[in-house]
Amino acid sequence: DAGVIQSPRHEVTEMGQEVTLRCKPISGHNSLFWYRQTMMRGLELLIYFNNNVPIDDSGMPEDRFSAKMPNASFSTLKIQPSEPRDSAVYFCASSFTSIQPQHFGDGTRLSIL
Amino acid sequence: AQKVTQAQTEISVVEKEDVTLDCVYETRDTTYYLFWYKQPPSGELVFLIRRNSFDEQNEISGRYSWNFQKSTSSFNFTITASQVVDSAVYFCALSAVTTDSWGKFQFGAGTQVVVTP
């Protein structure tokens, strides 16, 4: 069975540009999570969805960040406009329920120049 | 509020040595889950184990073992006879089962394990 699929794997763009990260969760999983990982701040939960509904977005840094989950098999995390401090690895994870183990994608390494 | 502390930033061992990673957590919830994840140099996060707050039995899986002690709020992880492939960052995480924090994983800062031949 396919795991969590994230795209792109790497993204390099200039500040001010819009960035869209994509995630396909494991089929049948009802919860989806977006994380950001940096050396300084470690793993931070940005937002999570349950049955496609955003449950908690308190980790979203600011209004430049937005996330959507239009259906059970797809989610996006958008940054507009991007800034150099957004450079990080962004992980998407999914789980069968909110307290089941989360299965992580390979991450998107984002560099904002 | 939930908190997970992994006080060891980095542990270096020689192959075949045992290594124990400490994890101390804080939560006011009576029902919660604890997890360990491994992040090898390739970057992916791999689930290792989940333990609920009502199950204090220790667990062994091959060279890995976990010691859950509710009295000290600790969930320590031991790798026996370490191998170079064990080199990774290991994260401890906590998820509580309450209305306010349902589903929110609180990850520790991680412990880098370096195993040299």
Side-chain angles (χ1 to χ4, degrees):
Chain A
D1 191 16
V4 175
I5 299 173
Q6 289 186 247
S7 64
R9 290 295 309 276
H10 303 273
E11 174 91 10
V12 180
T13 192
E14 293 185 346
M15 66 176 292
Q17 297 297 308
E18 177 178 294
V19 174
T20 300
L21 310 182
R22 297 173 176 80
C23 176
K24 177 178 168 55
I26 293 173
S27 178
H29 281 189
N30 298 320
S31 298
L32 183 140
F33 306 80
W34 281 101
Y35 290 88
R36 178 172 67 177
Q37 186 177 34
T38 61
M39 288 293 293
M40 291 297 293
R41 300 175 69 92
L43 263 170
E44 302 175 272
L45 176 65
L46 300 177
I47 185 171
Y48 76 95
F49 296 83
N50 201 35
N51 293 320
N52 311 339
V53 176
I55 302 300
D56 189 333
D57 65 354
S58 59
M60 296 286 261
E62 47 197 276
D63 292 344
R64 298 184 298 106
F65 285 69
S66 62
K68 293 182 180 178
M69 191 166 185
N71 57 62
S73 58
F74 184 65
S75 177
T76 59
L77 177 68
K78 188 173 292 187
I79 309 172
Q80 167 63 21
S82 57
E83 297 182 3
R85 60 193 168 119
D86 301 331
S87 298
V89 180
Y90 290 81
F91 286 100
C92 176
S94 72
S95 63
F96 185 63
T97 68
S98 301
I99 56 173
Q100 293 290 329
Q102 296 179 12
H103 297 266
F104 285 76
D106 289 339
T108 294
R109 186 172 295 275
L110 178 64
S111 297
I112 308 297
L113 306 176
Chain B
Q2 301 177 150
K3 187 177 179 181
V4 176
T5 302
Q6 294 182 256
Q8 304 149 308
T9 306
E10 181 173 325
I11 302 175
S12 294
V13 296
V14 177
E15 212 170 15
K16 297 184 183 176
E17 287 183 344
D18 297 348
V19 55
T20 296
L21 285 64
D22 298 332
C23 173
V24 175
Y25 61 92
E26 294 176 28
T27 180
R28 294 178 185 159
D29 300 298
T30 56
T31 302
Y32 51 89
Y33 291 81
L34 296 162
F35 302 79
W36 276 95
Y37 283 82
K38 174 183 179 180
Q39 187 174 37
S42 49
E44 73 273 22
L45 278 146
V46 179
F47 164 72
L48 296 178
I49 190 172
R50 181 183 81 150
R51 173 68 73 231
N52 75 57
S53 53
F54 297 106
D55 182 2
E56 290 194 66
Q57 279 192 336
N58 292 331
E59 181 155 341
I60 298 174
S61 175
R63 295 182 299 104
Y64 294 171
S65 62
W66 290 269
N67 183 349
F68 176 31
Q69 291 196 342
K70 214 168 173 178
S71 60
T72 56
S73 297
S74 65
F75 186 43
N76 296 337
F77 172 31
T78 297
I79 304 172
T80 303
S82 60
Q83 300 176 1
V84 173
V85 292
D86 297 326
S87 296
V89 180
Y90 292 85
F91 292 95
C92 182
L94 166 70
S95 179
V97 185
T98 65
T99 303
D100 290 341
S101 57
W102 183 270
K104 287 183 84 164
F105 269 43
Q106 180 66 51
F107 278 88
T111 297
Q112 171 86 56
V113 173
V114 178
V115 182
T116 53

